[in-house]
Amino acid sequence: MEGLIFIAPLAGFISLVFAAFFAKGVLKEDAGSKRMQEIAGAIQEGAMAYLNRQYKTIAVVSIILAFLILFLLNDGMKIAVGFLAGAISSAAAGYIGMSVSVRANVRTAHAASSGLEKAMSVAFRGGAVTGLAVVGLALLGTSSFYILYGDVNLVVGFGFGASLISLFARVGGGIFTKAADVGADLVGKIEAGIPEDDPRNAGVIADNVGDNVGDCAGMGADLFETYVVTALAAMLLGSLIINTFENAILYPLMLGSVAIFASIISVFFVKIGKDGDIMRALYKGVGGSALICLLAFYFVTDALMGDIRLYYASLVGVAIMVLMVVITEYYTSTRHRPVESIAAASETGAATNMIAGLSIGFESTLMPTVVIVVGILASYFVVGGAADSSIGLYGIAIAAVAMLSTTGMIVALDSYGPITDNAGGIAQMAKLPADVRKVTDDLDAVGNTTKAVTKGYAIGSAALGALALFADYRIKVNLGEQALSLDDPVVLVGLFLGALLPFVFSAVTMSAVGKAAFEVVNEVRRQFREIPGIMEGTKKPEYGHCVDIVTKAALHEMAMPGFLAVAVPLLVGVVLGPKALAGFLIGIIAVGLMLALMMDNGGGAWDNAKKLIEDGAHGGKGSEAHKAAVVGDTVGDPFKDTSGPALNALIKVVNMAAILFSSLIIGGGFF
């Protein structure tokens, strides 16, 4: 069985080969007219310039942390090398995906002239490049370092590097995209009364750039680290039950390997049927991937573990994935009650729109939490957790790994969103015919739902993965199962501090978006006021000024959230001790999950309520309901694209930091 370990890096490499294959196919497509290429070139230049500046900033932080790891931890050299490799791989996942997305957008816009099927194919294949690059790099890196070191505890550095870059990518990209979006919408739609993506709006290029750095590079780095961290959590727990199951460490990697082949095969399932339903076509890929995994997991489990109960745990994980997708679509799609209720509430103004949106956001936490709770209990007890808690915890980790089996397809769906959003913007700015614009609008409407669905999937997987990480931390610092009593004030204090951090973190990120959007609003107003001919279309706005504003804001404001994520848990552990930090981790997992669900789903519902009205419901564009919906969407934007998704990364960064620096915390604290 030892030779099977080499299947994992091979599967990762094959995934990267297919990513390159799909990228080549997309780039062969016609990029359209000179005007279309000029617009796409501006988006591409802005996106790559921002990402280059962001990674240079993050590189400095990463090098400093690598030196701290080197000198503070045992085997510091190996862990530091893994940390840097994880950081580089996470950055590469986002970079590869975005470099293709900013080229696929204009090709999708041009393909729309040939019809819906052609345009959807180009957009999805562009997204598939990101999906396959993410899972390929994740599995290749994790398995290679395990093979190299032979000790899963030394691979934790790789996971911490991935988590840290994910947090910076999520926060920085989220601030960039939503500051540009909010600023452009407030002046363009509400004050000037011009359409979205109108070339007369000075913020429009920054907005289109932001779609890529937030939803493509950000989500790519996010699910890269989720994949790595979840696999690591299962492998760490597997090392505890190695005497019962000799392949317990290898098993998660083999599940990931067969899942990659399932994703590659399922890309070819995505085709629009005679009904023209885009969402159904995309779900064919997700469903095909899940079904292939379910079949393959049985044979992998039987061959490696010889215990069918672990297969049942993987079934639980896939079921959670399906239910999270269905529930998230229900709360964020224009076809269901939640979005319709927000759109209807907009008829009486912005205040009632806001109340309805907040209500839907709060309500949307119920069903996902029930699904996760039932999934945790089912995966724990189905493998015999009542008799052996270590095996039960391993069952939960396997459910989390199985939930991530469709990551390749889910990331493809997410990256499809910014590609189609940009395609619509290019079609608008290049003044393409109405029938072409209708195709890009249809693609974009589905893209809003797919982006929301992937966020729900990401936070659900984070909850399961973080629970496994918490179990790893508790074991590393030698805390018995009875040590975490709420009668102990130290544990309770840690719990309160952990519950507090998501709110402080969200306050910092929301404030950053608000401040940057304020500057964009003033800049767009200035240009309308001081540059004659913009509104008449005889003079081009100075797009670069807005891009520069949000770039500087994103790079400056992402420092504090990153500092909070690493410094606060270490401070709690060193000052208050390992029990307080355990309470802290429980608090951040529970509250972070609820707050992220509320923000992601509420923001997505606000966004699509605006889209529903723009499609003609409740008075249509220009109506009072539309103006109110724009206000709601403006508030919901940083909810769903900045603070909410960043909480997903925060939860795992904090848990990974606790595990990585556990040796400094053991025996520490004044209590």
Side-chain angles (χ1 to χ4, degrees):
M1 290 293 183
E2 289 183 5
L4 290 176
I5 186 63
F6 294 100
I7 291 176
L10 177 62
F13 177 75
I14 291 172
S15 185
L16 295 176
V17 170
F18 271 90
F21 170 75
F22 290 128
K24 185 178 180 181
V26 169
L27 296 178
K28 277 185 177 179
E29 298 292 336
D30 195 328
S33 67
K34 183 178 179 181
R35 174 61 179 154
M36 293 169 67
Q37 291 181 48
E38 286 177 357
I39 297 165
I43 296 170
Q44 181 182 330
E45 182 181 348
M48 301 312 289
Y50 167 74
L51 209 59
N52 288 335
R53 288 174 66 176
Q54 183 188 48
Y55 286 161
K56 285 178 183 176
T57 304
I58 295 173
V60 175
V61 177
S62 299
I63 291 170
I64 293 171
L65 277 172
F67 275 107
L68 289 175
I69 291 170
L70 180 64
F71 292 111
L72 291 177
L73 302 180
N74 295 328
D75 290 312
M77 176 59 77
K78 291 182 177 180
I79 296 174
V81 169
F83 167 76
L84 291 174
I88 292 169
S89 298
S90 181
Y95 199 95
I96 292 169
M98 199 182 76
S99 65
V100 174
S101 292
V102 294
R103 291 169 173 82
N105 51 16
V106 67
R107 289 164 171 81
T108 300
H110 179 73
S113 61
S114 301
L116 182 64
E117 184 175 354
K118 176 68 173 176
M120 207 269 313
S121 176
V122 173
F124 179 74
R125 294 293 174 93
V129 174
T130 309
L132 294 178
V134 165
V135 294
L137 284 168
L139 189 61
L140 179 62
T142 306
S143 58
S144 295
F145 272 94
Y146 176 63
I147 293 170
L148 180 64
Y149 292 158
D151 182 354
V152 69
N153 291 286
L154 298 178
V155 189
V156 171
F158 184 81
F160 183 59
S163 295
L164 195 65
I165 299 306
S166 166
L167 181 68
F168 281 124
R170 264 305 189 194
V171 172
I175 293 169
F176 186 111
T177 183
K178 290 304 110 180
D181 194 1
V182 168
D185 280 358
L186 285 176
V187 184
K189 288 186 177 181
I190 296 179
E191 296 182 9
I194 59 178
E196 186 174 357
D197 294 321
D198 194 296
R200 294 171 292 179
N201 191 327
V204 71
I205 294 296
D207 185 9
N208 280 278
V209 169
D211 290 331
N212 292 285
V213 300
D215 282 318
C216 187
M219 177 59 87
D222 186 351
L223 280 174
F224 172 87
E225 69 92 15
T226 298
Y227 194 100
V228 170
V229 166
T230 303
L232 271 174
M235 292 167 72
L236 285 166
L237 287 172
S239 66
L240 300 176
I241 59 170
I242 200 75
N243 292 329
T244 306
F245 298 102
E246 63 176 350
N247 294 312
I249 298 176
L250 177 64
Y251 182 51
L253 295 176
M254 291 301 100
L255 294 181
S257 299
V258 297
I260 277 181
F261 293 110
S263 292
I264 292 170
I265 294 168
S266 298
V267 170
F268 297 97
F269 291 176
V270 179
K271 292 182 181 178
I272 292 182
K274 293 181 180 179
D275 58 2
D277 192 321
I278 302 169
M279 201 72 210
R280 182 175 297 173
L282 294 172
Y283 278 164
K284 285 179 186 176
V286 178
S289 178
L291 289 173
I292 294 171
C293 285
L294 288 178
L295 180 63
F297 286 175
Y298 175 83
F299 294 103
V300 172
T301 305
D302 184 53
L304 286 181
M305 309 300 283
D307 192 331
I308 201 64
R309 293 178 301 173
L310 290 168
Y311 174 66
Y312 297 148
S314 72
L315 291 182
V316 171
V318 174
I320 294 173
M321 180 276 293
V322 172
L323 290 171
M324 289 296 290
V325 167
V326 170
I327 293 167
T328 306
E329 186 192 352
Y330 172 74
Y331 277 102
T332 57
S333 172
T334 56
R335 297 180 292 182
H336 303 297
R337 174 192 64 83
V339 169
E340 169 59 34
S341 68
I342 297 174
S346 303
E347 292 186 17
T348 50
T352 46
N353 169 281
M354 294 291 295
I355 292 169
L358 287 170
S359 173
I360 291 299
F362 291 134
E363 178 192 320
S364 72
T365 63
L366 173 61
M367 290 308 298
T369 303
V370 170
V371 167
I372 291 169
V373 166
V374 172
I376 288 171
L377 293 175
S379 55
Y380 181 84
F381 286 108
V382 78
V383 298
D388 188 333
S389 62
S390 294
I391 294 177
L393 292 171
Y394 184 71
I396 295 172
I398 292 303
V401 170
M403 185 178 178
L404 287 166
S405 61
T406 56
T407 296
M409 290 300 300
I410 294 294
V411 175
L413 259 63
D414 182 78
S415 297
Y416 161 93
I419 291 172
T420 55
D421 196 342
N422 275 194
I426 291 168
Q428 172 78 21
M429 288 184 275
K431 296 181 171 58
L432 297 186
D435 60 330
V436 175
R437 180 65 177 159
K438 174 67 169 61
V439 171
T440 59
D441 282 347
D442 289 344
L443 292 171
D444 185 26
V446 172
N448 281 323
T449 301
T450 63
K451 287 187 288 186
V453 163
T454 55
K455 292 181 178 73
Y457 168 86
I459 190 60
S461 62
L464 286 182
L467 182 60
L469 288 172
F470 172 76
D472 290 324
Y473 164 78
R474 183 178 59 77
I475 292 163
K476 277 188 172 295
V477 295
N478 301 316
L479 285 178
E481 294 181 1
Q482 307 303 317
L484 301 177
S485 170
L486 290 181
D487 292 337
D488 188 334
V490 174
V491 176
L492 196 58
V493 165
L495 183 66
F496 285 151
L497 291 174
L500 172 66
L501 186 59
F503 289 98
V504 174
F505 183 87
S506 298
V508 171
T509 51
M510 291 285 288
S511 175
V513 171
K515 287 188 288 186
F518 176 81
E519 293 186 51
V520 174
V521 166
N522 285 334
E523 175 60 23
V524 177
R525 284 174 177 169
R526 181 194 69 78
Q527 293 195 31
F528 277 135
R529 185 176 61 248
E530 298 179 5
I531 303 176
I534 287 183
M535 286 302 290
E536 293 76 22
T538 59
K539 188 80 172 178
K540 290 174 84 172
E542 297 171 346
Y543 300 119
H545 286 275
C546 291
V547 173
D548 193 52
I549 286 170
V550 290
T551 296
K552 289 178 179 177
L555 295 176
H556 179 263
E557 299 292 345
M558 72 181 185
M560 180 53 71
F563 174 78
L564 289 173
V566 178
V568 174
L570 292 181
L571 192 62
V572 169
V574 171
V575 175
L576 299 178
K579 285 196 297 183
L581 183 53
F584 181 92
L585 298 179
I586 295 171
I588 198 171
I589 292 170
V591 175
L593 168 67
M594 304 302 163
L595 192 56
L597 286 170
M598 180 267 167
M599 287 183 154
D600 287 342
N601 293 333
W606 261 316
D607 188 353
N608 272 340
K610 179 199 69 174
K611 295 286 184 186
L612 183 61
I613 293 172
E614 288 177 345
D615 287 340
H618 304 284
K621 287 184 179 180
S623 65
E624 291 303 311
H626 183 229
K627 292 178 182 177
V630 170
V631 174
D633 177 45
T634 302
V635 175
D637 272 342
F639 265 43
K640 70 181 176 63
D641 288 325
T642 307
S643 298
L647 286 171
N648 172 39
L650 174 71
I651 292 170
K652 285 168 292 180
V653 169
V654 167
N655 277 272
M656 287 302 296
I659 292 173
L660 185 64
F661 295 104
S662 58
S663 60
L664 304 179
I665 296 166
I666 296 174
F670 297 103
F671 301 96

